[in-house]
Amino acid sequence: YLWGLAEMLPPEMLEEALNKARGMAGAERRAQILSALVPHLSPSQFEAALDIARGLGDRRLRVVVLRQLAPHLETPELDEALGLAWKVTDDRLRLHAILPLMRRAAEAAPELLKDNWSPALRLASRATRPAFLQHLQVLAPAFMAMGGEEAVAAAREAVADAGRWWP
């Protein structure tokens, strides 16, 4: 019921809703409520949201919440979210968490790209070719943040070359 009301809650009640979500039984219910609250949270509440996400035992649910949080996070919380995402043991799920966090890092905290770029690219490269190309599209802002238009052009050329070499 709380997730249906999230958009109508006044800001002062969001903290209470976060506390209710934290205390709820059932990881799926906590994840649903947290996902509904995320777009309405203030920046000061994202640390609490990450704390709830950290406590979700189900890695799939944790990934869903991290993806919801990604567009809203700033440097300290984004760094923490990346740390949580890298701890996911399933490669596919980890990648689904990492990609939007890397995209956000390109916008809000480019300094976080340095340590995460190579592992993220390596992880994305394990996918099928069509999936890898989609992952590159998501990572394009990171290419741009790290190397500018030259890096994007070089990546585009490398993809074209690979397509010619291995059709």
Side-chain angles (χ1 to χ4, degrees):
Y1 63 97
L2 257 179
W3 55 87
L5 300 174
E7 64 188 33
M8 294 183 267
L9 290 176
E12 62 274 6
M13 290 189 71
L14 287 172
E15 191 70 37
E16 186 178 339
L18 271 175
N19 289 331
K20 292 242 187 252
R22 184 188 318 270
M24 265 188 177
E28 192 161 340
R29 185 174 285 169
R30 281 195 311 275
Q32 285 176 328
I33 291 170
L34 189 53
S35 291
L37 291 174
V38 163
H40 310 288
L41 297 177
S42 69
S44 65
Q45 294 169 317
F46 289 129
E47 180 61 39
L50 277 171
D51 189 47
I52 296 168
R54 190 180 307 106
L56 294 170
D58 183 323
R59 62 186 182 212
R60 180 186 53 84
L61 295 174
R62 193 172 321 122
V63 167
V64 167
V65 172
L66 288 173
R67 289 178 61 86
Q68 284 287 113
L69 282 166
H72 306 284
L73 299 177
E74 297 299 328
T75 303
E77 291 82 15
L78 188 55
D79 192 23
E80 185 177 343
L82 279 162
L84 282 173
W86 283 115
K87 290 178 183 173
V88 174
T89 55
D90 178 277
D91 282 352
R92 188 181 60 76
L93 287 174
R94 184 180 325 122
L95 184 61
H96 282 291
I98 293 292
L99 289 175
L101 292 167
M102 291 291 288
R103 185 177 191 102
R104 178 62 180 157
E107 300 165 356
E111 67 276 8
L112 295 178
L113 294 173
K114 182 182 175 201
D115 293 336
N116 292 287
W117 175 251
S118 289
L121 201 53
R122 219 176 359 264
L123 183 60
S125 72
R126 296 179 190 153
T128 63
R129 185 184 302 182
F132 178 64
L133 293 175
Q134 288 178 336
H135 301 329
L136 284 180
Q137 188 175 9
V138 173
L139 290 170
F143 274 99
M144 186 65 112
M146 291 188 61
E149 289 183 28
E150 287 180 23
V152 174
R156 189 177 322 123
E157 186 61 33
V159 168
D161 287 346
R164 283 190 296 275
W165 298 332
W166 297 285

